[in-house]
């Protein structure tokens, strides 16, 4: 629909300029050209689009809006390009123009998408390998601590956003800003020196579970014992200064965690480049120097800080962002300043990014607001660059409280994924028994794994990320409603049509790399023909894909794509339940099979952008 919206917008603008040349010239001179205010129709019976621009012109032109709409309509009727695209428009309400695309235009668009691996989604203006990269900073767990559900959310949302941007042809740098440089190492190394020195100079002397336990003990000592605190702080300074013994211990601890994280990424099919906090260590001094030179640095109680504009602490005083602590140590914010500086700096001194996106919990909103402000004031952000915190809410249990195991511990991600898959397997075995279906073990495992992981990802992505999210296995695994199983079933249902003899065309053009280059083989008719309202509803829903992707990219809200895919599945199911496909007359049958084909391709593409694999049978 994007293409049509753009064409109509231009045609309507021209019509306005022709109908009201004086007003148009004045508006252009004032830098605010007349706007046809084109929007999707609010109801299907109003057509495809409505243009509300006449209303805003009523006052300056001192004419009734309906009269203005009539003048526009006369101009549009004289425009052959408009006539080729739309049926004669209707004036409605106080002076809207209702616009309906010609059926043959819609049918030809469906036809075009059947042969298009991008399904009508255009590449972004700044695409290709020469374009400046978009950085998505996501997942970013902390070494020696367990990855928690917040990191899982960041991982799933960040990956989906990266996939959408990549599909639009943007060069994306997926960065895992792991916490590998903070106070936790001071505590951990100090503690291990006393209780498990082998862990500091021998690989694999302890496993991650032990490490997490050691970290917990270290943290308890740190909070309770001032001497320990002091030693731990000194240990951090030693590490950050490059002491070889500390560095070796640090490297071993990082390896241990890294292996554990990687297992999870592999299972979830997540690609990430690790570039942890330690990477920016060599640039921390330069941050201080830059801020000093910009006249932003203030020494307050021995700490170097920048006072934030428009941000106050609880006492009403301006909030400082501490850049270097009084003991000379740097902190989380300093590292993020160094990271921003590096990411926007032109290569080879930096990444030369034009857009940086941070996916973390909403609790870090103030941290990022402060860091962004200081980076801007320091002059590190080039004009026109985008810098965005993409926050998300908390993960809660069924009871609305923080997600915990029954014994009250934090939930381990591995256990969480295992449980999703196990529950799927149990459901599946029950269903197979009920239906007296025989399937081999490989099928059962494949289906349970795919559906289980899909359910976890989809449940997270389908809620608006800003709100808190209630984790519920029962809800995410339900076969009805806005769930992964419901969408996966729609794909399976269409695959079933092919198995029952419907020619959906060979290959799997929208199904990812393995299918690239597969030639369509189906004999779809030259001109598709639709007659039933259910067919037209499906056509219109299918053609929304490009608009939806553009919105997701603009607003960074994957739940928009989820809602669309859910809506599409519902419209498809209504069509398939109410209109004969395999039993239809040959001409209608071929056109309807084409709709089935495009629906499957659209669902697979959309789910793929969410990081979700599909199945042919389940
Ligand atoms: N490690 C941090 C945490 O666990 C998240 C880091 C997010 N990225 C960043 N550039 N600060 O909360």
């Amino acid at each position: 629909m994007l293409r049509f919206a753009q064409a109509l917008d231009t045609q309507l603008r021209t019509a306005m300029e022709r109908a009201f040349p004086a007003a148009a010239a004045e508006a252009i001179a004032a830098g605010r050209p007349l706007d046809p205010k084109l929007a999707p129709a609010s109801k299907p019976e109003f057509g495809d689009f409505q243009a509300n621009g006449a209303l805003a012109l009523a006052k300056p032109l001192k004419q009734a809006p309906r009269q203005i709409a009539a003048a526009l309509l006369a101009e549009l009727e004289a425009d052959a390009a408009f006539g080729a695209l739309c049926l004669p428009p209707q004036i409605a309400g106080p002076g809207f123009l209702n616009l309906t695309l010609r059926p043959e235009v819609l049918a030809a668009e469906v036809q075009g998408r059947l042969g298009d691996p991008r399904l009508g989604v255009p590449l972004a203006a700044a695409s290709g390998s020469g374009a400046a990269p978009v950085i998505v900073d996501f997942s970013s767990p902390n070494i020696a601590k367990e990855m928690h559900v917040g990191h899982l959310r960041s991982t799933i949302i960040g990956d989906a956003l990266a996939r959408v941007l990549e599909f639009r042809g943007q060069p994306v740098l997926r960065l895992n800003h792991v916490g590998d440089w903070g106070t936790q190492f001071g505590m951990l190394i100090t503690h291990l020196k006393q209780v498990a020195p082998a862990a500091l100079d021998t690989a694999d002397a302890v496993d991650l579970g032990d490490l997490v336990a050691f970290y917990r003990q270290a943290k308890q000592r740190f909070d309770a014992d001032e001497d320990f605190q002091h030693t731990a702080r000194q240990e951090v300074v030693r590490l950050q200064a490059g002491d070889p013994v500390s560095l070796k211990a640090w490297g071993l601890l990082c390896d241990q965690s890294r292996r554990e994280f990687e297992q999870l990424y592999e299972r979830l099919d997540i690609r990430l480049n690790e570039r942890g906090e330690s990477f920016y260590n060599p640039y921390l001094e330069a941050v201080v120097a830059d801020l000093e030179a910009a006249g932003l640095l203030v020494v307050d109680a021995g700490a170097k800080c920048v006072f934030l504009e428009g941000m106050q602490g609880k006492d009403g005083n301006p909030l400082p962002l501490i850049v270097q602590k009084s003991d000379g140590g740097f902190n989380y914010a300093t590292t993020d300043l160094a990271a921003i500086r590096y990411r926007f700096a032109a290569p080879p001194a930096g990444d030369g990014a034009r857009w940086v996106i941070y996916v973390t919990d909403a609790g870090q909103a103030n941290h990022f607001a402060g860091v962004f402000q200081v980076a801007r004031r320091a002059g590190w952000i080039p004009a026109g660059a985008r810098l965005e915190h993409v926050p998300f809410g908390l993960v809660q249990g069924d009871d609305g409280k923080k997600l915990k195991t029954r014994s009250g511990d934090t939930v381990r991600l591995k256990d969480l994924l295992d449980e999703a898959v196990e529950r799927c397997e149990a459901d599946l075995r029950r269903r197979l028994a009920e239906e007296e279906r025989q399937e081999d073990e490989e099928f059962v495992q494949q289906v349970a794994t795919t559906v289980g992981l899909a359910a976890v990802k989809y449940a997270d992505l389908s809620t608006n990320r800003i709100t808190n999210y209630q984790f519920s296995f029962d809800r995410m695994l339900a076969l009805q409603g806005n769930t992964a199983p419901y969408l996966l079933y729609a794909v399976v249902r269409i695959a079933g049509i092919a198995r029952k003899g419907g020619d959906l065309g060979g290959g799997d053009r929208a199904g990812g790399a393995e299918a690239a280059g597969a030639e369509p083989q189906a004999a779809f008719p030259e001109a598709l023909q639709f007659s039933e309202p259910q067919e037209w509803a499906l056509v219109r829903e299918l053609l929304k894909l490009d608009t939806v992707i553009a919105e997701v990219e603009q607003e960074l809200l994957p739940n928009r794509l989820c809602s669309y895919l859910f809506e599409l599945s519902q419209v498809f199911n209504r069509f398939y339940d109410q209109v004969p496909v395999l039993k239809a007359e040959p001409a209608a049958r071929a056109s309807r099979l084409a709709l089935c084909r495009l629906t499957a391709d659209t669902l697979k593409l959309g789910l793929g952008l969410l990081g979700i694999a599909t199945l042919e049978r389940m």
Side-chain angles (χ1 to χ4, degrees), residues 137 140-142 151 177 179 332 336 358 360 364 367-368:
D137 173 323
S140 308
N142 301 313
H151 294 122
H177 189 84
Y332 184 53
D336 260 325
Y358 297 80
T360 80
Q364 301 198 33
H367 162 75
F368 285 111

Side-chain angles (χ1 to χ4, degrees), residues 464-516:
N464 184 320
R465 60 175 162 75
I466 317 282
T467 54
N468 291 345
Y469 151 57
Q470 277 202 6
F471 192 96
S472 158
F473 282 118
D474 288 336
R475 213 168 323 127
M476 71 175 69
L477 294 173
L479 293 175
Q480 290 302 325
N482 189 7
T483 65
Y486 180 78
L487 296 187
L488 292 176
Y489 256 112
V491 177
V492 165
R493 201 171 182 195
I494 301 172
I497 299 172
R499 282 194 297 274
K500 281 183 228 137
D503 186 358
L504 296 185
D508 180 3
R509 274 159 293 153
E514 69 281 4

Side-chain angles (χ1 to χ4, degrees), residues 259-274:
R259 277 202 296 274
E260 195 89 359
F261 297 157
E262 269 164 11
Q263 276 173 19
L264 202 81
Y265 294 142
E266 195 172 311
R267 205 166 166 197
L268 292 171
D269 189 21
I270 308 286
R271 265 187 313 108
L272 262 165
N273 304 303
E274 183 181 326

Side-chain angles (χ1 to χ4, degrees), residues 242-254:
D243 173 80
V245 178
S246 303
L247 270 180
K248 170 147 198 222
W250 169 79
L252 289 174
L253 299 175
C254 289

Side-chain angles (χ1 to χ4, degrees), residues 2-3 6 116-129 131 163-171 354 546 549-550 553:
L2 217 53
R3 214 154 61 75
Q6 280 158 0
D116 172 12
R118 302 192 53 77
L119 303 185
V121 179
L123 289 169
S127 61
S129 55
R163 284 177 194 256
V164 169
L165 294 166
E166 284 157 354
F167 181 64
R168 291 269 290 139
Q170 320 249 27
R354 60 184 179 81
D546 51 359
I549 302 276
E553 183 185 274

Side-chain angles (χ1 to χ4, degrees), residues 137-142 145 148 151 154 175-180 277 332 335-336 339 343 358-361 364 367-368:
D137 173 323
F138 70 106
S139 193
S140 308
N142 301 313
K145 300 189 199 174
H148 55 69
H151 294 122
S154 173
L175 291 185
N176 198 4
H177 189 84
V178 294
D180 63 357
E277 296 179 3
Y332 184 53
T335 305
D336 260 325
R343 290 167 181 185
Y358 297 80
V359 188
T360 80
D361 61 284
Q364 301 198 33
H367 162 75
F368 285 111

